[in-house]
Amino acid sequence: MEINTNMETKVIHLQDCVEGMLELPAQSIDIVTTSPPYNLGIEYGTYKDNKPRQEYLDWLDSVFAAVKHCLKDDGHFWLNVGYSNIDPWIGMDVAQVARAHFVLQNNFNWVKSISIDDVTTGHFKPINSTRFSNPTWEHLFHFTKTGAVPCDKLAIGVPYMWGCNIDNSSRVKGRLAKKYGFDNIKHFNKSATAEVKEKLESEFADKMKSAKPKPDKRCRGNSWFVPYDTILNREKHRGSHPATYPVALVENCIKFSGLTSGVLVDPFMGSGTSALASIRQGLDYIGFDIDSDYRQFALDRIAHETKVITENE
């Protein structure tokens, strides 16, 4: 099926996201990254974050249906939903709504703060409670239409700690030793004749010449530690939006999806974080928001980002 991609990009529409996404050409978007309102009574500027539970879930169902309409069949849908002790089921309930439209291909935890031994790194909001632990992570669901869309796990991979994970020459020699009838390489070194040793070394050299280089990184796993940047002026760096996330988190989503070009949509663009991540990763973007103040703040952030990039070229 030929897909019409004649649409305006690098724009944030002051528009309801369901209407806006349904106006996009079917199967025209490569990636959707978003964090919808959590229905926890957060004080947004325009949106009222206190819908009756079923009304809220029904509304999200219409949002996810619109996402499915515009997302390519091999596209990626990244959905961030916060965790709250007020309503610990909210993330899972939202994911169940999305389940009617997508396959959950990967289930990540966005870790905002972590403590190892006696050292704590990152930021979280402490709560005054004798019942609940401080929430230090949020849900990050990776949906696709089939559950079988290829990803680039090593794009955000981490280096191996030990060199033996990269250099597998000893394993190759061990397998060859067994091929020649020895128990292992030690048995081979001790018992093989000079002629057999020469023959193995020749075969070993041929195998190493044709072997593909082994990656020097491994998959990061499904817990992503992405802390907020430390800021000195919230109004300047985050604006009045009450629920933001780091640009690096969206960049991880783009990289893991294997995208170096294409179009990203954020149905709830808010302060413009997804747009900044798109610009940094070479993607175009389309955003929607119903709050004119948030939209203007996002446009100002984008203008600043574009200026910085231009000055550094």
Side-chain angles (χ1 to χ4, degrees), residues 108 153-159 217-226 252 256:
F108 293 89
K153 299 191 296 183
L154 297 187
I156 57 167
V158 293
K217 294 181 180 180
R218 63 169 178 81
C219 175
R220 182 176 294 269
N222 64 352
S223 291
W224 289 358
F225 174 55
V226 185
N252 271 10
F256 188 92

Coordinates of all heavy atoms in Angstrom, one line a residue, residues 108 153-159 217-226 252 256:
F108 N 9.8 -1.4 30.0 CA 10.9 -0.8 30.7 C 10.5 -0.1 32.0 O 9.4 0.3 32.1 CB 11.5 0.3 29.7 CG 12.2 -0.3 28.5 CD1 11.4 -0.5 27.3 CD2 13.5 -0.7 28.5 CE1 12.0 -1.0 26.2 CE2 14.1 -1.2 27.3 CZ 13.3 -1.3 26.2
K153 N 19.3 -2.5 19.8 CA 19.6 -2.5 21.3 C 20.9 -1.9 21.6 O 21.1 -1.3 22.7 CB 19.5 -4.0 21.8 CG 18.1 -4.6 21.6 CD 18.1 -5.9 22.4 CE 19.0 -7.0 21.9 NZ 18.9 -8.3 22.6
L154 N 21.9 -2.1 20.7 CA 23.3 -1.6 21.0 C 23.4 -0.1 20.8 O 24.5 0.4 21.1 CB 24.3 -2.4 20.2 CG 24.3 -3.9 20.5 CD1 25.5 -4.6 19.7 CD2 24.4 -4.2 22.0
A155 N 22.4 0.5 20.2 CA 22.5 2.0 20.0 C 22.6 2.7 21.4 O 23.2 3.8 21.4 CB 21.3 2.5 19.2
I156 N 22.1 2.1 22.4 CA 22.2 2.6 23.8 C 22.9 1.6 24.7 O 22.7 1.6 25.9 CB 20.9 3.1 24.4 CG1 19.9 1.9 24.4 CG2 20.3 4.3 23.6 CD1 18.7 2.2 25.2
G157 N 23.7 0.7 24.0 CA 24.3 -0.3 24.8 C 25.4 0.2 25.7 O 25.8 1.4 25.7
V158 N 25.9 -0.7 26.6 CA 26.9 -0.3 27.6 C 28.1 -1.2 27.3 O 28.0 -2.4 26.9 CB 26.4 -0.5 29.0 CG1 25.3 0.5 29.3 CG2 25.9 -1.9 29.3
P159 N 29.3 -0.7 27.6 CA 30.5 -1.5 27.3 C 30.6 -2.7 28.2 O 30.1 -2.7 29.4 CB 31.7 -0.5 27.7 CG 31.1 0.9 27.7 CD 29.6 0.7 28.1
K217 N 29.9 -3.7 22.9 CA 28.8 -3.3 23.9 C 27.8 -4.4 24.0 O 27.7 -5.3 23.2 CB 28.1 -2.0 23.4 CG 29.0 -0.8 23.4 CD 28.2 0.4 22.9 CE 29.0 1.7 22.9 NZ 28.3 2.9 22.5
R218 N 27.1 -4.3 25.1 CA 26.0 -5.3 25.3 C 24.7 -4.5 25.5 O 24.7 -3.3 25.8 CB 26.2 -6.2 26.5 CG 26.3 -5.4 27.8 CD 26.3 -6.3 29.1 NE 26.4 -5.6 30.3 CZ 25.4 -5.0 30.9 NH1 24.2 -5.0 30.4 NH2 25.6 -4.3 32.1
C219 N 23.6 -5.2 25.4 CA 22.3 -4.6 25.7 C 22.2 -4.0 27.1 O 22.6 -4.6 28.1 CB 21.2 -5.6 25.5 SG 19.5 -5.0 25.9
R220 N 21.7 -2.8 27.2 CA 21.5 -2.1 28.5 C 20.5 -2.8 29.4 O 20.6 -2.6 30.6 CB 21.1 -0.7 28.2 CG 21.0 0.2 29.5 CD 20.7 1.6 29.1 NE 21.8 2.3 28.3 CZ 22.8 2.9 28.9 NH1 22.8 3.1 30.2 NH2 23.7 3.5 28.1
G221 N 19.6 -3.5 28.9 CA 18.5 -4.1 29.7 C 17.3 -3.2 29.7 O 17.3 -2.2 29.1
N222 N 16.3 -3.6 30.5 CA 15.1 -2.9 30.5 C 14.9 -2.0 31.7 O 13.7 -1.6 32.0 CB 13.9 -3.9 30.3 CG 13.7 -4.8 31.5 OD1 14.6 -4.9 32.3 ND2 12.6 -5.6 31.5
S223 N 15.9 -1.7 32.4 CA 15.9 -0.7 33.4 C 16.8 0.5 33.0 O 18.0 0.3 32.9 CB 16.4 -1.2 34.8 OG 15.4 -2.1 35.3
W224 N 16.2 1.6 32.7 CA 17.0 2.7 32.2 C 17.1 3.8 33.2 O 16.1 4.4 33.6 CB 16.3 3.3 31.0 CG 16.3 2.5 29.7 CD1 16.9 1.3 29.6 CD2 15.7 2.8 28.5 NE1 16.7 0.8 28.3 CE2 16.0 1.7 27.6 CE3 15.0 3.9 28.0 CZ2 15.5 1.7 26.3 CZ3 14.5 3.9 26.7 CH2 14.8 2.8 25.8
F225 N 18.4 4.0 33.7 CA 18.6 5.1 34.6 C 18.9 6.4 33.9 O 19.9 6.5 33.2 CB 19.8 4.8 35.5 CG 20.2 5.9 36.5 CD1 19.3 6.5 37.3 CD2 21.5 6.4 36.4 CE1 19.7 7.5 38.2 CE2 21.9 7.4 37.3 CZ 20.9 8.0 38.1
V226 N 17.9 7.2 33.9 CA 18.0 8.5 33.2 C 17.5 9.6 34.2 O 16.3 9.9 34.3 CB 17.1 8.6 31.9 CG1 17.3 9.9 31.1 CG2 17.4 7.4 31.0
N252 N 16.8 8.1 24.1 CA 17.0 6.6 24.2 C 15.9 5.9 23.4 O 16.2 4.8 22.8 CB 16.9 6.2 25.7 CG 18.2 6.3 26.4 OD1 19.2 6.8 25.9 ND2 18.3 5.8 27.6
F256 N 16.9 3.3 20.5 CA 16.6 1.9 20.6 C 15.7 1.5 19.5 O 15.8 0.3 19.0 CB 15.9 1.7 22.0 CG 15.6 0.3 22.3 CD1 16.5 -0.5 23.1 CD2 14.5 -0.4 21.9 CE1 16.3 -1.8 23.4 CE2 14.2 -1.7 22.2 CZ 15.1 -2.4 22.9

